[in-house]
Amino acid sequence: MSNPPQSPFVAQHSVPAGVVATRWWWVRHAPVREDGGCIYGQTDIGCDCSDRVVFDAVAKILPRQATWFSSNLKRTHQTANALWQAGYPEPASMTQDAAFAEQHLGQWQGLNRAEFFASRPIAVGTYWFAPIDEPSPGGESFMDLYNRVKGAIQRINAAHAGGDVVVVAHGGTIKAALGVALNDQPERGLAFTIDNVSVTRLDHLSSDGHSGWRIPMVNQQPWIADPSHAAMHQPSGAEPASTTKLA
């Protein structure tokens, strides 16, 4: 007896009757090459969008008819444009929302990343530049970032309930969103690695009087089978650049 024809695999994420699912697709910007090994935070510098295989793969998995957002920093705009050039139908508009910007790291911006972390006390479990409630001199704490990202998520959930939302943002921003999805635990979001151009999917589910989150995927890299694209790994927190991963 012959086997029946195999249908293509389709990932299913069922939604119960009476539940509204708002699907968030978070994309971290492409790698920054002009930072000189320094912390950049909200410094408005460009990124490298030259890896066509990476952008082709990501463009294929993002939902059509989505509402697009980015931060106010140009590396997210460049990344979005590269996705559209890779075949994703360019949306009629993309809202630039400063609430989705990276953490402002104040006087730490411009410091050598490796030297900065070598000078800091070892604090296993923070996974970031500092404890979540410690502000950078002249800048923000991670909690400041978390609270503005959480507020933007709540606002957009209300405005675009039941739709697909694509946000091109930053490593810290996406870690904050994960903390929101993990039942409002900001420190838990910091435990995740978020690589450049990776996709993180968070579904907000709501019904009468109830709401919560489902996490279908984190740091998804649809190009990962090809080792030549390992340069998409770039630190987004307490991790000095590696000569084996960062081009």
Side-chain angles (χ1 to χ4, degrees):
M1 181 176 177
S2 61
N3 293 324
Q6 294 297 311
S7 299
F9 173 77
V10 178
Q12 300 293 328
H13 303 290
S14 62
V15 178
V19 173
V20 176
T22 307
R23 295 163 298 279
W24 289 75
W25 305 75
W26 297 86
V27 181
R28 188 185 173 201
H29 64 80
V32 169
R33 308 296 191 198
E34 55 192 75
D35 60 328
C38 296
I39 296 169
Y40 47 87
Q42 282 195 18
T43 305
D44 199 10
I45 53 180
C47 60
D48 177 8
C49 298
S50 62
D51 196 326
R52 301 316 313 162
V53 172
V54 166
F55 284 94
D56 289 349
V58 175
K60 288 176 182 176
I61 71 169
L62 294 177
R64 274 48 180 168
Q65 307 303 320
T67 302
W68 280 65
F69 290 84
S70 70
S71 81
N72 59 319
L73 300 176
K74 68 180 179 183
R75 54 189 181 269
T76 62
H77 313 157
Q78 292 169 339
T79 301
N81 273 294
L83 289 167
W84 303 336
Q85 292 171 12
Y88 185 96
E90 182 174 350
S93 64
M94 179 176 72
T95 301
Q96 298 177 19
D97 194 327
F100 293 134
E102 184 58 276
Q103 181 179 339
H104 194 302
L105 293 169
Q107 296 174 22
W108 294 343
Q109 294 177 181
L111 298 181
N112 179 274
R113 181 182 290 266
E115 292 176 359
F116 173 83
F117 287 113
S119 71
R120 303 284 291 178
I122 296 174
V124 176
T126 61
Y127 307 106
W128 200 238
F129 295 92
I132 62 173
D133 56 354
E134 178 184 335
S136 55
E140 296 179 301
S141 67
F142 182 78
M143 281 305 301
D144 293 327
L145 165 64
Y146 179 83
N147 286 328
R148 60 176 163 82
V149 170
K150 179 180 178 181
I153 289 172
Q154 291 173 334
R155 166 169 45 87
I156 293 168
N157 271 337
H160 298 282
D164 286 291
V165 177
V166 174
V167 186
V168 186
H170 307 264
T173 309
I174 299 170
K175 289 169 185 271
L178 280 161
V180 173
L182 290 168
N183 198 27
D184 206 20
Q185 298 185 87
E187 69 283 358
R188 300 302 183 196
L190 289 175
F192 291 90
T193 295
I194 304 297
D195 286 302
N196 295 98
V197 204
S198 67
V199 181
T200 293
R201 164 91 175 272
L202 308 176
D203 293 354
H204 183 258
L205 307 177
S206 63
S207 61
D208 291 341
H210 301 279
S211 66
W213 289 89
R214 176 173 60 193
I215 305 179
M217 61 187 180
V218 177
N219 201 40
Q220 177 70 28
Q221 302 167 71
W223 67 87
I224 200 67
D226 189 337
S228 67
H229 306 288
M232 288 299 110
H233 177 91
Q234 189 176 53
S236 62
E239 180 185 353
S242 165
T243 57
T244 59
K245 287 188 174 181
L246 179 61

